[in-house]
Coordinates of all heavy atoms in Angstrom, one line a residue:
G381 N 81.9 -41.3 55.7 CA 82.4 -41.7 57.0 C 83.9 -41.5 57.1 O 84.6 -41.3 56.2
T382 N 84.4 -41.7 58.4 CA 85.8 -41.4 58.6 C 86.7 -42.5 57.9 O 87.9 -42.2 57.6 CB 86.1 -41.4 60.1 OG1 85.6 -42.7 60.7 CG2 85.4 -40.3 60.8
L383 N 86.2 -43.7 57.6 CA 87.0 -44.7 57.0 C 87.2 -44.3 55.5 O 88.0 -45.0 54.8 CB 86.3 -46.0 57.1 CG 86.4 -46.7 58.5 CD1 85.6 -48.0 58.4 CD2 87.8 -46.9 59.0
A384 N 86.6 -43.3 55.0 CA 86.8 -42.9 53.6 C 88.2 -42.6 53.2 O 88.7 -42.8 52.1 CB 85.8 -41.8 53.2
I385 N 88.9 -42.1 54.2 CA 90.3 -41.7 54.0 C 91.2 -42.9 53.7 O 92.2 -42.8 53.0 CB 90.9 -41.0 55.3 CG1 92.2 -40.3 55.0 CG2 91.0 -42.0 56.5 CD1 92.8 -39.5 56.2
D386 N 90.8 -44.1 54.1 CA 91.6 -45.3 53.9 C 91.9 -45.6 52.4 O 92.9 -46.2 52.0 CB 91.0 -46.5 54.5 CG 91.0 -46.5 56.0 OD1 91.7 -45.7 56.6 OD2 90.4 -47.4 56.6
R387 N 90.9 -45.1 51.5 CA 91.1 -45.4 50.1 C 92.3 -44.7 49.5 O 92.8 -45.2 48.5 CB 89.8 -44.9 49.4 CG 88.5 -45.7 49.8 CD 87.3 -45.0 49.2 NE 87.2 -43.6 49.6 CZ 86.4 -42.7 49.0 NH1 85.8 -43.0 47.9 NH2 86.4 -41.5 49.5
F388 N 92.7 -43.6 50.1 CA 93.8 -42.8 49.4 C 95.1 -42.9 50.2 O 95.9 -42.0 50.1 CB 93.3 -41.4 49.3 CG 92.0 -41.3 48.5 CD1 90.8 -40.8 49.1 CD2 91.9 -41.7 47.2 CE1 89.6 -40.8 48.4 CE2 90.7 -41.7 46.5 CZ 89.6 -41.2 47.1
L389 N 95.2 -43.9 51.1 CA 96.4 -44.1 51.8 C 97.1 -45.5 51.5 O 96.4 -46.4 51.2 CB 96.1 -44.1 53.3 CG 95.6 -42.7 53.9 CD1 95.1 -42.9 55.3 CD2 96.8 -41.7 53.9
R390 N 98.4 -45.5 51.7 CA 99.1 -46.8 51.6 C 100.1 -46.9 52.7 O 100.7 -45.9 53.2 CB 99.8 -47.0 50.2 CG 100.9 -46.0 50.0 CD 101.6 -46.3 48.6 NE 102.7 -45.4 48.4 CZ 104.0 -45.6 48.9 NH1 104.2 -46.7 49.6 NH2 104.9 -44.7 48.7
P391 N 100.3 -48.1 53.2 CA 101.2 -48.3 54.4 C 102.7 -48.4 53.9 O 103.0 -48.9 52.8 CB 100.8 -49.7 55.0 CG 100.2 -50.4 53.8 CD 99.6 -49.4 52.9
V392 N 103.5 -47.8 54.7 CA 105.0 -47.8 54.5 C 105.6 -48.3 55.8 O 105.3 -47.7 56.9 CB 105.6 -46.5 54.1 CG1 107.1 -46.6 53.9 CG2 104.9 -46.0 52.8
C393 N 106.5 -49.2 55.7 CA 107.2 -49.8 56.9 C 108.7 -49.3 56.9 O 109.4 -49.4 55.9 CB 107.1 -51.3 57.0 SG 108.0 -52.0 58.4
Y394 N 109.2 -48.9 58.1 CA 110.6 -48.5 58.2 C 111.2 -49.5 59.2 O 110.7 -49.8 60.3 CB 110.8 -47.1 58.8 CG 110.5 -46.0 57.8 CD1 109.2 -45.6 57.6 CD2 111.5 -45.4 57.2 CE1 108.9 -44.6 56.7 CE2 111.3 -44.3 56.3 CZ 110.0 -44.0 56.0 OH 109.8 -42.9 55.1
Q395 N 112.3 -50.2 58.8 CA 113.0 -51.2 59.6 C 114.4 -50.7 60.0 O 115.2 -50.4 59.1 CB 113.1 -52.5 58.8 CG 113.7 -53.6 59.6 CD 113.5 -55.0 58.9 OE1 112.5 -55.2 58.2 NE2 114.4 -55.9 59.2
N396 N 114.6 -50.6 61.3 CA 115.9 -50.2 61.8 C 116.4 -48.9 61.3 O 117.6 -48.7 61.0 CB 117.0 -51.3 61.6 CG 116.7 -52.6 62.3 OD1 116.1 -52.6 63.4 ND2 117.1 -53.7 61.7
C397 N 115.4 -48.0 61.1 CA 115.8 -46.7 60.5 C 116.3 -45.7 61.6 O 115.7 -45.7 62.7 CB 114.5 -46.1 59.9 SG 114.8 -44.5 59.1
P398 N 117.3 -45.0 61.4 CA 117.8 -44.0 62.4 C 116.6 -43.0 62.7 O 115.9 -42.6 61.8 CB 118.9 -43.3 61.7 CG 119.4 -44.3 60.7 CD 118.2 -45.0 60.2
D399 N 116.6 -42.6 63.9 CA 115.4 -41.8 64.4 C 115.3 -40.5 63.6 O 114.2 -40.0 63.3 CB 115.6 -41.5 65.9 CG 114.4 -40.8 66.5 OD1 113.3 -41.5 66.6 OD2 114.4 -39.6 66.7
N400 N 116.5 -39.9 63.3 CA 116.4 -38.6 62.6 C 116.0 -38.7 61.2 O 115.7 -37.7 60.5 CB 117.8 -37.9 62.7 CG 118.9 -38.6 62.0 OD1 118.8 -39.9 61.9 ND2 119.9 -37.9 61.6
L401 N 115.9 -39.9 60.6 CA 115.4 -40.1 59.2 C 114.0 -40.5 59.2 O 113.4 -40.5 58.1 CB 116.3 -41.1 58.5 CG 117.8 -40.7 58.3 CD1 118.5 -41.9 57.6 CD2 117.8 -39.4 57.5
L402 N 113.4 -40.8 60.3 CA 112.0 -41.3 60.4 C 111.0 -40.1 60.1 O 111.3 -39.0 60.4 CB 111.7 -41.9 61.7 CG 112.3 -43.3 62.0 CD1 112.1 -43.6 63.5 CD2 111.6 -44.3 61.2
P403 N 109.9 -40.4 59.5 CA 108.8 -39.4 59.4 C 108.4 -39.0 60.9 O 108.6 -39.7 61.8 CB 107.7 -40.1 58.7 CG 108.3 -41.3 58.1 CD 109.4 -41.7 58.9
D404 N 108.0 -37.7 61.0 CA 107.6 -37.2 62.4 C 106.6 -38.2 63.1 O 106.6 -38.3 64.3 CB 107.0 -35.8 62.2 CG 108.1 -34.8 62.0 OD1 109.3 -35.1 62.2 OD2 107.7 -33.6 61.6
A405 N 105.7 -38.8 62.3 CA 104.7 -39.7 62.9 C 105.4 -40.9 63.6 O 104.7 -41.5 64.5 CB 103.7 -40.1 61.8
L406 N 106.6 -41.2 63.2 CA 107.2 -42.4 63.8 C 108.4 -42.1 64.7 O 109.0 -43.1 65.3 CB 107.7 -43.3 62.6 CG 106.6 -43.8 61.7 CD1 107.2 -44.7 60.6 CD2 105.6 -44.7 62.5
K407 N 108.8 -40.9 64.9 CA 110.0 -40.6 65.7 C 109.7 -40.8 67.2 O 108.6 -40.8 67.6 CB 110.4 -39.1 65.5 CG 111.0 -38.8 64.1 CD 111.4 -37.3 64.0 CE 112.0 -37.1 62.6 NZ 112.3 -35.7 62.4
N408 N 110.8 -41.2 67.9 CA 110.7 -41.5 69.3 C 110.0 -40.4 70.1 O 109.2 -40.7 71.0 CB 112.1 -41.8 69.9 CG 112.7 -43.1 69.4 OD1 111.9 -44.0 69.0 ND2 114.0 -43.2 69.4
A409 N 110.3 -39.1 69.8 CA 109.7 -38.0 70.5 C 108.3 -37.7 70.2 O 107.6 -37.0 70.9 CB 110.6 -36.8 70.3
N410 N 107.7 -38.4 69.2 CA 106.3 -38.1 68.8 C 106.0 -36.6 68.7 O 105.1 -36.1 69.4 CB 105.4 -38.8 69.8 CG 103.9 -38.9 69.2 OD1 103.7 -38.6 68.1 ND2 103.0 -39.3 70.1
P411 N 106.7 -35.9 67.9 CA 106.5 -34.5 67.8 C 105.1 -34.1 67.4 O 104.7 -32.9 67.7 CB 107.6 -34.0 66.8 CG 107.9 -35.2 65.9 CD 107.8 -36.4 66.9
L412 N 104.4 -34.9 66.7 CA 103.0 -34.6 66.3 C 102.0 -34.8 67.4 O 100.9 -34.4 67.3 CB 102.6 -35.4 65.1 CG 103.5 -35.3 63.8 CD1 103.0 -36.2 62.7 CD2 103.5 -33.8 63.4
G413 N 102.4 -35.5 68.5 CA 101.5 -35.8 69.6 C 100.3 -36.6 69.2 O 99.2 -36.5 69.8
I414 N 100.5 -37.6 68.3 CA 99.4 -38.4 67.9 C 99.4 -39.7 68.6 O 100.3 -40.1 69.3 CB 99.6 -38.7 66.3 CG1 100.9 -39.4 66.1 CG2 99.5 -37.4 65.5 CD1 101.0 -39.8 64.6
A415 N 98.2 -40.3 68.6 CA 98.0 -41.7 69.2 C 98.7 -42.7 68.3 O 98.5 -42.7 67.1 CB 96.6 -42.0 69.4
R416 N 99.5 -43.6 69.0 CA 100.3 -44.6 68.3 C 100.2 -45.9 69.0 O 100.1 -45.9 70.2 CB 101.8 -44.2 68.1 CG 101.9 -42.8 67.5 CD 103.4 -42.5 67.2 NE 104.3 -42.5 68.3 CZ 105.6 -42.1 68.2 NH1 106.1 -41.8 67.0 NH2 106.3 -42.1 69.3
L417 N 100.2 -47.0 68.2 CA 100.3 -48.3 68.9 C 101.8 -48.8 68.9 O 102.4 -48.8 67.9 CB 99.5 -49.3 68.0 CG 98.0 -49.3 68.1 CD1 97.4 -50.3 67.2 CD2 97.5 -49.5 69.5
V418 N 102.2 -49.0 70.1 CA 103.6 -49.5 70.4 C 103.5 -50.9 71.0 O 103.0 -51.0 72.1 CB 104.4 -48.6 71.3 CG1 105.8 -49.1 71.5 CG2 104.4 -47.1 70.7
D419 N 103.9 -51.9 70.3 CA 103.7 -53.3 70.7 C 102.3 -53.6 71.1 O 102.0 -54.3 72.1 CB 104.7 -53.6 71.9 CG 106.1 -53.7 71.4 OD1 106.4 -54.0 70.2 OD2 107.0 -53.4 72.2

């Protein structure tokens, strides 16, 4: 099932990180076009 991927992932948190240093998944412009939860 689709939840099988969770076994091989770990969470990483960025706090007050400059936008240009963020991974693409977290940048303001959302260059990957992925669904994200904001607040």
